[in-house]
Amino acid sequence: MNSFNFEPLALPAQTAGLRREVREFLREELAGMTPRERAHTWQGFDAGFSRKLGEKGWIGMTWPREYGGQERSVLERYVLLEELLAAGAPVAAHWIADRQSGTLLLRFGREEVRRRYLPAMACGELFCCIGMSEPNSGSDLASIRTRATRVDGGWKVNGSKLWTTNADKAHLMIALVRTSREEDSRHAGLSQFIIELSSPGVTVKPVVDHTGAAHFGEVFFSDVFVADEMLLGNEGDGWAQVNAELALERSGPERYLSSYRLLEELVAAAGPDPSPRLTELIGELTAELWTLRQMSLSVAGQLAGGGTPALEAAIVKDLGARFEQELPPLVQAALDDEALGSSGTALQDVLDYLLRASPAFSLRGGTREILRGIIAKGLGLR
Ligand SMILES: Cc1cc2nc3c(=O)[nH]c(=O)nc-3n(C[C@H](O)[C@H](O)[C@H](O)COP(=O)(O)OP(=O)(O)OC[C@H]3O[C@@H](n4cnc5c(N)ncnc54)[C@H](O)[C@@H]3O)c2cc1C
């Protein structure tokens, strides 16, 4: 059996100054937000707030300066993300560009395309979405049917994408599409394109989830022209590229902090002298949270060192989603027994939202079953 590596990592002392600076900024900027709004964490969309982060140099902060970045370290970025998420900052507008699309452009984009888009992403003015899933192709991503066919000067795209987060507000989609027949391998013949969503032939239809919000949608492509330079990497390399992209998507602190607001509100409502039952619950949850943080930090350290910890990232996402989903029912059971958090309180309000939002936490970014398959493969068990 293969093994995994969660080498412990301590954040360098020089990150403490950045943490203080971010906390101070957020205290002022977010003063008017309600606990329920903060509970939306990385689904909270506020283009104005993203622009302010851009002005601070806190989007794309690890990117080269020539593309609008600050050339700061992966671990400094980690500290920034932790503070944003713990405070419940509305980061959705720029989150995908900062986390993965910008990095993909840096790795695989043509030079002219990098110069066209990256500085605007870093300013918090250009937002991205992920075009992987389609109707009938989610877990089985290699079965996608959206197709690009060669035309003079570029490609024509036809098909549709589903569950695309912020499809109605994003400017660009990085889409995985089929550029040749499936032939021997279903993975061959897939390519990634940058598609401007304002292009003629693109239609976006919002999809409402069971919290009542329409934060994702379905995107239809009808003879959409995409110029040659918008191809990312080489034609036919889309499968390898999309897997590298998923590793970026799976290990960050957003994979265990989505229910964090509830823990904060529980601690506040429990007061300075909680019952033994609440003390035990808060202690258990905090220990689990801290362990996940150490694991996620270890992955960040490996990424900073140029490693590709895809197995470890899948483990963090699987255990992190389990934690995020267990928190709301555990708190609800404790509240029923302890007569805490009557209706209308911040605690009840956050709990109400998270009980409805959390089932999706183990779907987005790859389902539990798919992650466990990856983990079993990584360990050499299948
Ligand atoms: C909040 C949210 C945001 C999202 N945002 C985006 C986005 O921005 N861009 C994007 O492209 N996608 C996005 N998705 C889509 C997400 O990636 C898919 O929902 C997910 O990959 C599952 O695909 P599916 O919905 O087609 O379900 P299916 O693949 O049909 O799976 C249904 C069930 O069958 C199980 N299953 C499937 N195959 C296997 C197998 N081989 N072995 C064992 N069990 C299996 C799954 O685990 C799941 O429980 C988002 C989803 C959510 C909930």
Side-chain angles (χ1 to χ4, degrees):
M1 191 172 103
N2 306 329
S3 63
F4 46 75
N5 169 24
F6 284 107
E7 189 71 32
L9 178 130
L11 283 169
Q14 59 268 35
T15 56
L18 174 66
R19 190 183 292 283
R20 270 195 304 278
E21 190 191 344
V22 178
R23 260 187 209 178
E24 192 52 42
F25 170 81
L26 294 177
R27 206 177 352 261
E28 280 179 24
E29 286 297 326
L30 308 183
M33 280 182 82
T34 65
R36 191 185 175 103
E37 285 167 343
R38 289 172 186 257
H40 286 73
T41 61
W42 51 294
Q43 277 190 0
F45 192 104
D46 180 342
F49 178 77
S50 291
R51 264 194 299 278
K52 286 184 184 168
L53 280 192
E55 281 164 19
K56 299 287 291 178
W58 289 344
I59 300 176
M61 69 193 281
T62 60
W63 303 349
R65 285 187 188 276
E66 59 180 313
Y67 302 113
Q70 305 292 322
E71 301 186 2
R72 296 184 78 164
S73 71
V74 168
L75 297 180
E76 284 177 300
R77 178 171 173 271
Y78 195 94
V79 165
L80 170 73
L81 299 189
E82 273 194 317
E83 291 301 320
L84 290 169
L85 294 167
V91 292
H94 69 272
W95 192 257
I96 288 167
D98 178 74
R99 180 179 68 187
Q100 61 199 81
S101 314
T103 309
L104 277 184
L105 254 72
L106 279 172
R107 282 188 194 161
F108 304 116
R110 310 280 182 273
E111 183 58 12
E112 63 196 290
V113 170
R114 292 180 190 177
R115 293 199 181 277
R116 193 184 305 159
Y117 297 124
L118 285 169
M121 285 183 199
C123 288
E125 288 172 356
L126 190 79
F127 307 136
C128 296
C129 62
I130 306 165
M132 295 187 196
S133 311
E134 296 184 3
N136 303 316
S137 300
S139 303
D140 186 14
L141 192 56
S143 68
I144 58 162
R145 282 172 299 170
T146 296
R147 179 174 293 281
T149 42
R150 271 219 171 274
V151 292
D152 200 20
W155 303 77
K156 276 259 159 82
V157 178
N158 282 287
S160 68
K161 294 287 171 183
L162 187 56
W163 315 123
T164 313
T165 299
N166 297 328
D168 57 336
K169 303 186 196 73
H171 306 100
L172 301 180
M173 172 190 279
I174 296 193
L176 183 71
V177 305
R178 195 161 284 292
T179 41
S180 62
R181 301 272 155 212
E182 291 188 32
E183 296 163 352
D184 302 341
S185 159
R186 296 187 321 141
H187 300 147
L190 296 176
S191 305
Q192 280 187 309
F193 285 93
I194 309 162
I195 302 180
E196 291 198 0
L197 294 179
S198 58
S199 308
V202 176
T203 319
V204 179
K205 194 175 115 200
V207 176
V208 178
D209 74 6
H210 65 166
T211 69
H215 56 81
F216 47 28
E218 185 161 9
V219 184
F220 300 89
F221 303 101
S222 173
D223 277 343
V224 175
F225 175 75
V226 182
D228 270 331
E229 77 263 17
M230 303 292 256
L231 174 68
L232 279 179
N234 297 317
E235 184 192 338
D237 284 352
W239 185 250
Q241 288 172 204
V242 96
N243 279 297
E245 181 180 352
L246 283 166
L248 295 172
E249 200 180 324
R250 284 177 174 157
S251 62
E254 73 270 34
R255 294 304 179 188
Y256 60 90
L257 285 174
S258 307
S259 300
Y260 176 72
R261 177 63 26 198
L262 189 56
L263 183 54
E264 285 241 339
E265 296 300 336
L266 178 68
V267 171
D273 188 22
S275 67
R277 161 133 198 236
L278 276 187
T279 307
E280 193 178 322
L281 177 63
I282 291 169
E284 274 177 13
L285 292 173
T286 306
E288 197 168 341
L289 177 72
W290 205 250
T291 307
L292 285 163
R293 178 179 188 258
Q294 288 306 118
M295 294 170 74
S296 165
L297 258 177
S298 169
V299 175
Q302 292 175 53
L303 287 170
T308 46
L311 168 63
E312 289 78 3
I315 295 174
V316 171
K317 183 179 181 299
D318 183 36
L319 294 178
R322 196 190 64 174
F323 173 72
E324 294 178 335
Q325 287 183 327
E326 276 178 0
L327 231 156
L330 280 174
V331 172
Q332 185 175 42
L335 296 198
D336 290 346
D337 293 350
E338 302 267 337
L340 266 181
S342 54
S343 133
T345 61
L347 177 58
Q348 194 62 53
D349 216 15
V350 169
L351 176 60
D352 175 61
Y353 169 72
L354 283 170
L355 280 170
R356 283 185 291 141
S358 56
F361 295 171
S362 58
L363 301 175
R364 57 187 186 187
T367 68
R368 175 162 290 136
E369 291 74 19
I370 294 307
L371 289 169
R372 291 190 179 170
I374 293 169
I375 294 166
K377 211 169 189 172
L379 292 175
L381 297 173
R382 68 184 264 256

